[in-house]
Amino acid sequence: METNNQRLLHTFAALADLGQEIANTADFEEMLRSSFHLLLGSVAIRRGAVAQYDRQRDTLRIVSARGLEQNSDTEVAIARDHGRELATLSGSLTLADATSEATRFMEEHKELFASAEIKLLLPLVVHERLIGVVLLGEKASGEEFTEEDLETLTALSRHIGVGINSHHLLGEVKRKAEENQRLYDGLRTIYKETVRAFAAAIDMKDRYTQGHSVRVGKYSEVIAREMGWSDEQVEGITIAGYLHDIGKLIVDLSVINSPERFSAKDSAEMSKHPAAGYEILAPISHPYADIPLMARYHHERLDGNGYPDGLKGDQIPAGARIVTLADSFDAMTTDRPYRKRLALEDVFTDFRQNTGTQFDPAVVCAFCRAFLKEVEGKKERRLLNLLNRNYDNPETVTPLVNQLLAEFDTGAMAASANN
């Protein structure tokens, strides 16, 4: 009775060690080696191997071996019907029975295992699927395996099978996640490219402002990144910049392409485009929820004198305040039919005069910081490269930008804290 109790305690201890090994070891190959050595030690077996079954290739790959000539990574082909038959079996299969599946398997691979003196084969089966096999030689004592030995080995091998299966499942989950991520990234890329193409189509309607929407998107991206927005938020505001003028699709073409300054009637017609843009974008399920609001509010002003809703201050979404500045900056730095682009000094003078009334100080200061960092070589020259199309040496306005930043940066930080 005492011997049986000791054996039972030994089995439980081995199972506990094996369970901890499977749970704690991140390295799959190391987990299998350690687990297999625990199994061998549980009944003092001289030699053996554990092999993992690959259902796609119908092969068994030895992942751990002791006392055999075969090294890890040795592969053994296995007939598919044989694999299915092994999957229907459980427990340990002795080679003493000449008709057993174990004997048939060893006979098929007798050249490989000729010197191994394998005595037992234990199929690793989980949910009626063959996961692998454990091949075991004789006990160190030379004694025959007892029923208790076989029960212990069967229990331990089942744990190893569960470990292999769990690794399979985690690998499959990881592959699926990676595949889904690739699909998601692909869809996002297609979405952004489609939006950019659509933005170009919008600008094609206005022969004087081609490329405007894409540039507004790029300016908005630079500003948002300088303000510390997350990558997803930056991507969203970029898309909002691309689509901010989508409402112009409903504006009369003769108004958009008028070579003269707008009359009161023309201005009324043009002022419809923010609300129209919202109506176009709102029914669409965007990856970034606030895009329709950016289109609606990009002509609002902090002082409440904008349109279409006359919002004030923090009533205007932060993203719309970014697009407002980006939109105005591109309008001032490109030629229009009724005027030439402004000198860059005049653009920053306009910023200074209208910060706090039209433009958000936090947004203006972020733009200025990004500009200065590009001039100093601390950031990629994105603003400067866009400006170089129309301006020689835009770096010459650096003193003016520094002065603007010094004047408004404290207020900008306070405004940012409130958002």
Side-chain angles (χ1 to χ4, degrees), residues 70-133:
Q70 289 71 31
N71 297 320
S72 294
D73 291 331
T74 298
E75 287 194 349
V76 179
I78 180 172
R80 181 162 297 185
D81 63 331
H82 197 177
R84 285 196 295 266
E85 290 168 0
L86 286 174
T88 65
L89 304 174
S90 61
S92 56
L93 306 178
T94 175
L95 270 64
D97 181 1
T99 63
S100 71
E101 289 300 326
T103 303
R104 178 184 165 193
F105 174 84
M106 294 304 299
E107 181 64 26
E108 289 181 356
H109 304 289
K110 58 185 177 182
E111 292 182 4
L112 187 63
F113 295 106
S115 61
E117 298 182 16
I118 298 298
K119 300 295 184 182
L120 288 176
L121 183 147
L122 296 93
L124 304 178
V125 179
V126 178
H127 301 309
E128 300 182 350
R129 300 176 70 184
L130 183 67
I131 302 300
V133 297

Side-chain angles (χ1 to χ4, degrees), residues 175-191:
R175 283 191 292 274
K176 289 292 185 184
E178 291 172 348
E179 181 182 350
N180 288 340
Q181 185 64 48
R182 285 194 296 271
L183 290 171
Y184 178 66
D185 291 343
L187 289 173
R188 283 168 69 115
T189 299
I190 292 171
Y191 173 77

Side-chain angles (χ1 to χ4, degrees), residues 343-365:
L344 208 51
E345 293 83 355
D346 294 339
V347 173
F348 283 100
T349 298
D350 186 279
F351 277 6
R352 186 179 182 188
Q353 292 172 346
N354 290 290
T355 295
T357 54
Q358 181 180 1
F359 305 125
D360 183 345
V363 176
V364 172
C365 289

